[in-house]
Amino acid sequence: MSADMPAAPSAGPQRLVILDQSIKVLYQSILVLSLYFLFAGHNLPGGGFVGGLTAGAAVSLRYVSGGAAAVRTTFRVPSHVILGLGLGVAAGTAFLPIALGGAVLEHGEYETNLPVFGDVKFVSALAFDVGVYLVVVGLVLMAFAAFGDDLGQLAQSDEPGDGAGADQPDAGRDDRSSPA
Amino acid sequence: MSGALATLAMALPTADDVVAPGSGSFDVLIPLPVIVPLVAAALSIVAAGHRPTQRVIGLGALLTVVVGNIVLLARVDDAPDGIAASQGGGWKAPLGISLVVDRFAAIMLVVSSLMLISVLVYAIGQQAEERRFAAFHPVYLVLAAGVSASFVTGDLFNLFVAFEMMLVASYVLLTLGGRAGQVRSGMSYVVISLIASTFFITALALIYSATGTVNMAELSERIPELPSGVRTGFSLLLIVVFGIKAGLFPLFFWLPDSYPTAPNAVTAIFAGLLTKVGVYAIIRTQLLLFPDDARQGTLLLIIAGLTMVTGVLGALANDDLQRILSFHIISHIGYMIFGLALFTLAGIAGAIFYVVHHIIVKTALFLVAGLIERKAGSDRLSRIGGMVRSAPMIAVLFAFPALSIAGLPPFSGFVAKFALVDAGVLVEQWPIVAVSLVVSLLTMYVMGRIWSNVFWGTCEDEAVAERLAPGRTSVPLLMTGATVAVVVASLAMMVFAGPMYDLAERAAADLLVPQIYVRHVLGASS
Amino acid sequence: MSVLLAFAAAALFGTGTFLLLQRRLSRIIIGIGLIGHGSNILLLTSGSGRGLPPIIGSADPTDFADPLPQALALTSIVITFGVTAFLFALGYRSWKITHDDVVEDDVEDRYIARRVDQLVDEGEAAARLNELAEDPE
């Protein structure tokens, strides 16, 4: 496993083709799975936090193959904007019911029949979950952006530091996925 | 355990459980101080690249909160029983997220929001960390939301969440800049706080398994049914948890080390608010949750005395202005606990008055310390001198809160200390009264020492003397303005000491009758 | 089941406390993580024990597990995780500054040591100044 960066192909060890290609396939599938978790969360295991963590796992796969630079180009929107939007949506869901004359955090339901999906029940708590999802994704992106680069420098600057340093993001990721 | 199952059975949605929406303006006013800063924090993150926008968002949000809180205090004071509750999520207590504001909480909300906005103005004027880091505004707003949430929550677990919100924000603010000293002291601060949080979770787990609830109103009904040993254990555990945050006697050691390393404005808000949130939690839980025999009156009195003495001695031993003032916080936490530990109306009223007085005056002192440091380029007493001539404005700004905290009449500190001593004399607790008077004298000595070193005499350090020379360094107008505002607030507390004390007494009277709180939160069902 | 969890919590608290008392920062952080896990397990055991997933409509409500401790535990896990991540970042920063992982001496000790150094420095500086003042003449 290597943490090389596409920006400096000559300096790092060679990229692993099989890893790269399989990550390309996995990346999208995991993102779709994370969206499934997000929407299934009301009545089944899942929810915004779990979905966000799954998406974070997908992002970390990109980090494994392309380093911090690949993570930075994952989304066009800057990561702090994702984080801010998420917090805004989540706090807004708490606030909106007050404006409509209810209690804070109160939620409502809306059932409808969509052409493809059949009977669908929308719960306004879903908006809160979406907010949480965005916060988690934004946070994971920011963490990789903040700490991902130094690892590459470490690998280049001193050999023995490579192994010790490379353990760190993995440990962090395991920690994150445990509540899921 | 059966209680838990009963709660669960009730959790099924039946029409009866859902509170009728729109039960008055309190449903808006109570969540306001928590939600508005959070929404503003979100906007502030999105606007990370543009500082002027962030400033407008931050100031606008805190101004809204100040206005909302003042209205809330007026409404709560007018309300029958002086208490208002709002059930989050539209579920009846104990299922919903109970938000409760009584007079005590409302007073704390008003004072804390006033300090938060003044310090934000000061920080903007300072052009230091606020300008350099995009994270300052969002994190500061989260801190504001966490402080407010600790005051309004009616649920022990949400108190934990509110504490964490406030603490996580404080970790970031404390280490903003990542200098070596900050990282070092931030590390011990975070570790200590985390251990306190772990104790808190442990206490919550034990309390839940014993009573089947974490709603404070329901706990207030169920804890008296527990065996007395268990009750005492819970009481002690919570004192330890909140004592660490408040800086009580054996648990204060982290405070004087971590606070001074933070940026000036941040230290001021930490000193003014964070420890007092711990004191608030001690007062709230001791009075609401525990019946007479589980309240730790004697223990708290001893702790209060030791806290006072240690704090003031630490302040005497130091040379560094920020550290003197930090040790001094500890000493004054002792006074508040002294008032509580009497468990009488006069004592608790005195404690509430003291908390309010101390928040304002301590914030003012730290802001002035920041001005001194800005002007002189150092905060060491041994290096500064003669500022009464070179910076008369700062001298005046220092004099008022210093005299007040030393307890000289007619300042609010005198009223606060007099109330406490009077309460102590009333129940004939002579030792603590004696200790508090001696510590009061020592406080006056500490303040006098700062005064004579910083403002009188001559400046022997050449670098400092050069900075103090006329026209050499100027203090930004916003910094001075914010400090003046806080000093004026402390003077207003002196002028309106009568009405303020009456309000504190009404708040204390409510606190001594937990049944009122329980009835309002749980509604007619109990 | 509950006994097993109680033992697990006890073991986590024990090892966590041991690690917390070490000099190395990484161990302290791991120790805090373990204590956090221990308290979360304690939180879980505070419920009514085993039961079916508490999803309305899936079974008889009396067979449900108590959902509240689970919700509380999840919340506290998220908080502990976030703060641990922050601690790691702080530790990383400290390693970058000092290139060391050892927690330094007690705060007050350091302060006193610093003051002594300072007094010595100031003394030396004063001596230097005196020398300089005398030199030109």
Side-chain angles (χ1 to χ4, degrees):
Chain A
M1 194 176 91
S2 65
D4 66 337
M5 293 159 65
S10 56
Q14 67 273 62
R15 307 181 64 149
L16 302 172
V17 179
I18 297 179
L19 182 76
D20 279 9
Q21 294 306 316
S22 48
I23 283 175
K24 264 182 199 160
V25 178
L26 281 174
Y27 176 66
Q28 267 84 4
S29 339
I30 296 178
L31 277 189
V32 172
L33 180 70
S34 81
L35 287 178
Y36 167 74
F37 279 145
L38 167 64
F39 288 105
H42 190 60
N43 283 334
L44 290 167
F49 185 67
V50 174
L53 287 173
T54 317
V59 170
S60 65
L61 277 182
R62 267 179 89 88
Y63 177 74
V64 168
S65 80
V71 175
R72 253 182 229 120
T73 53
T74 309
F75 302 104
R76 290 210 188 117
V77 191
S79 49
H80 69 263
V81 174
I82 299 180
L83 182 74
L85 279 180
L87 187 59
V89 170
T93 358
F95 197 56
L96 202 62
I98 306 181
L100 299 176
V104 63
L105 282 169
E106 194 170 341
H107 65 266
E109 295 177 0
Y110 175 69
E111 271 182 79
T112 185
N113 198 314
L114 288 180
V116 183
F117 295 92
D119 280 330
V120 178
K121 191 169 84 173
F122 288 107
V123 188
S124 65
L126 179 66
F128 187 82
D129 265 345
V130 171
V132 174
Y133 181 93
L134 290 176
V135 167
V136 176
V137 172
L139 211 60
V140 171
L141 287 173
M142 283 178 96
F144 276 119
F147 299 106
D149 270 341
D150 293 323
L151 233 54
Q153 288 160 10
L154 267 184
Q156 283 159 23
S157 60
D158 49 19
E159 291 295 320
D162 187 21
D167 282 342
Q168 229 174 333
D170 282 344
R173 203 180 66 224
D174 287 348
D175 215 346
R176 248 166 264 165
S177 45
S178 59
Chain B
M1 281 214 230
S2 59
L5 278 179
T7 313
L8 182 67
M10 277 162 59
L12 292 173
T14 55
D16 304 338
D17 278 340
V18 181
V19 180
S23 55
S25 60
F26 286 124
D27 279 346
V28 180
L29 284 173
I30 295 179
L32 197 78
V34 183
I35 304 255
V36 168
L38 274 184
V39 174
L43 294 176
S44 196
I45 296 175
V46 175
H50 200 242
R51 206 52 34 89
T53 317
Q54 283 194 319
R55 287 175 187 161
V56 170
I57 293 170
L59 290 173
L62 289 181
L63 196 64
T64 317
V65 172
V66 168
V67 173
N69 284 344
I70 291 173
V71 175
L72 182 62
L73 175 61
R75 291 264 173 91
V76 166
D77 198 31
D78 278 346
D81 295 339
I83 187 167
S86 169
Q87 306 297 342
W91 300 93
K92 268 187 190 169
L95 300 178
I97 299 163
S98 298
L99 302 173
V100 192
V101 173
D102 58 0
R103 289 191 178 103
F104 184 31
I107 296 170
M108 296 298 282
L109 280 172
V110 170
V111 179
S112 66
S113 56
L114 280 173
M115 292 307 111
L116 281 163
I117 195 166
S118 312
V119 173
L120 184 61
V121 172
Y122 184 92
I124 291 172
Q126 215 174 9
Q127 301 275 321
E129 276 73 12
E130 186 269 342
R131 202 170 85 166
R132 279 199 291 146
F133 299 102
F136 181 87
H137 280 276
V139 174
Y140 190 80
L141 288 167
V142 171
L143 182 86
V147 170
S148 305
S150 326
F151 294 145
V152 299
T153 183
D155 184 298
L156 212 50
F157 190 79
N158 286 338
L159 183 63
F160 165 74
V161 175
F163 263 71
E164 288 305 310
M165 243 159 89
M166 178 179 92
L167 287 173
V168 168
S170 75
Y171 304 153
V172 178
L173 287 177
L174 186 74
T175 52
L176 215 54
R179 291 194 307 272
Q182 285 180 312
V183 171
R184 204 177 45 201
S185 68
M187 196 72 78
S188 60
Y189 176 67
V190 176
V191 170
I192 297 286
S193 304
L194 260 180
I195 290 169
S197 302
T198 317
F199 277 145
F200 201 171
I201 300 177
T202 311
L204 279 168
L206 297 176
I207 288 176
Y208 185 79
S209 59
T211 62
T213 182
V214 283
N215 185 297
M216 289 207 256
E218 223 178 8
L219 280 175
S220 174
E221 286 188 324
R222 291 194 189 161
I223 283 183
E225 295 161 11
L226 298 175
S228 78
V230 178
R231 276 194 310 237
T232 313
F234 287 162
S235 174
L236 287 172
L237 201 51
L238 288 181
I239 287 179
V240 170
V241 169
F242 301 132
I244 294 179
K245 322 245 173 188
L248 285 191
F249 166 61
L251 311 165
F252 65 88
F253 45 84
W254 55 270
L255 193 152
D257 183 57
S258 55
Y259 279 17
T261 58
N264 272 146
V266 172
T267 315
I269 206 68
F270 282 13
L273 288 183
L274 294 201
T275 44
K276 257 63 81 185
V277 176
V279 173
Y280 172 87
I282 293 180
I283 295 180
R284 173 71 71 204
T285 50
Q286 284 292 308
L287 289 173
L288 179 61
L289 302 187
F290 299 105
D292 284 335
D293 65 327
R295 290 176 182 166
Q296 303 297 320
T298 319
L299 176 75
L300 282 175
L301 273 182
I302 296 169
I303 291 178
L306 288 170
T307 311
M308 286 181 207
V309 174
T310 334
V312 85
L313 289 182
L316 277 175
N318 273 285
D319 179 49
D320 180 325
L321 195 51
Q322 302 264 0
R323 281 182 68 91
I324 295 179
L325 293 177
S326 297
F327 263 110
H328 218 255
I329 303 171
I330 300 166
S331 170
H332 285 260
I333 298 292
Y335 281 95
M336 300 162 204
I337 299 303
F338 159 34
L340 167 71
L342 299 175
F343 289 106
T344 61
L345 179 66
I348 293 162
I352 293 174
F353 192 84
Y354 205 100
V355 170
V356 175
H357 145 79
H358 191 251
I359 290 178
I360 299 176
V361 169
K362 201 80 215 184
T363 311
L365 278 176
F366 270 95
L367 292 184
V368 177
L371 293 182
I372 293 174
E373 201 179 332
R374 181 65 164 242
K375 182 85 184 164
S378 166
D379 67 348
R380 304 204 157 272
L381 296 190
S382 49
R383 294 181 64 188
I384 317 173
M387 278 185 77
V388 75
R389 283 183 304 280
S390 49
M393 178 72 177
I394 297 180
V396 172
L397 285 177
F398 179 79
F400 287 126
L403 290 174
S404 178
I405 210 158
L408 286 183
F411 294 98
S412 56
F414 171 74
V415 182
K417 275 182 184 153
F418 183 79
L420 286 178
V421 168
D422 192 40
V425 170
L426 218 63
V427 286
E428 300 185 348
Q429 292 287 357
W430 303 114
I432 191 77
V433 169
V435 169
S436 74
L437 289 176
V438 171
V439 169
S440 201
L441 276 177
L442 289 173
T443 303
M444 214 179 302
Y445 174 68
V446 171
M447 288 301 145
R449 189 165 148 257
I450 297 178
W451 177 265
S452 64
N453 274 300
V454 171
F455 295 102
W456 281 350
T458 51
C459 182
E460 279 150 27
D461 190 287
E462 283 177 31
V464 173
E466 192 164 318
R467 283 182 71 102
L468 286 178
R472 199 44 79 91
T473 41
S474 64
V475 176
L477 199 64
L478 275 181
M479 283 172 79
T480 322
T483 316
V484 169
V486 180
V487 171
V488 167
S490 79
L491 293 179
M493 221 182 138
M494 169 186 90
V495 176
F496 299 106
M500 289 283 303
Y501 187 77
D502 289 343
L503 181 62
E505 206 167 53
R506 286 200 295 279
D510 297 344
L511 287 175
L512 280 171
V513 192
Q515 287 80 5
I516 300 178
Y517 187 99
V518 174
R519 198 173 68 234
H520 274 266
V521 177
L522 295 183
S525 62
S526 62
Chain C
M1 187 64 182
S2 203
V3 175
L4 203 64
L5 284 179
F7 274 114
L12 285 169
F13 269 110
T15 39
T17 312
F18 174 74
L19 286 172
L20 200 61
L21 298 175
Q22 306 284 306
R23 289 290 279 208
R24 290 213 166 270
L25 192 60
S26 43
R27 295 191 182 189
I28 292 178
I29 297 176
I30 294 171
I32 283 191
L34 290 183
I35 293 183
H37 289 318
S39 60
N40 289 334
I41 288 184
L42 200 66
L43 207 49
L44 270 185
T45 53
S46 69
S48 53
R50 303 180 68 163
L52 295 172
I55 294 173
I56 294 162
S58 66
D60 185 23
T62 46
D63 294 335
F64 284 162
D66 187 355
L68 192 66
Q70 301 175 15
L72 301 188
L74 185 62
T75 312
S76 86
I77 286 170
V78 173
I79 291 173
T80 324
F81 150 66
V83 180
T84 313
F86 181 78
L87 256 183
F88 268 117
L90 212 55
Y92 181 61
R93 174 83 197 168
S94 135
W95 184 82
K96 267 180 106 174
I97 294 174
T98 60
H99 275 267
D100 204 355
D101 189 28
V102 176
V103 177
E104 285 167 57
D105 279 342
D106 178 57
V107 179
E108 284 302 315
D109 288 354
R110 270 202 329 259
Y111 185 66
I112 291 166
R114 207 172 71 205
R115 279 192 69 176
V116 170
D117 285 350
Q118 207 174 30
L119 288 177
V120 171
D121 285 351
E122 277 171 8
E124 280 174 4
R128 284 280 303 280
L129 276 177
N130 286 340
E131 280 171 26
L132 285 174
E134 284 161 12
D135 260 356
E137 287 157 352

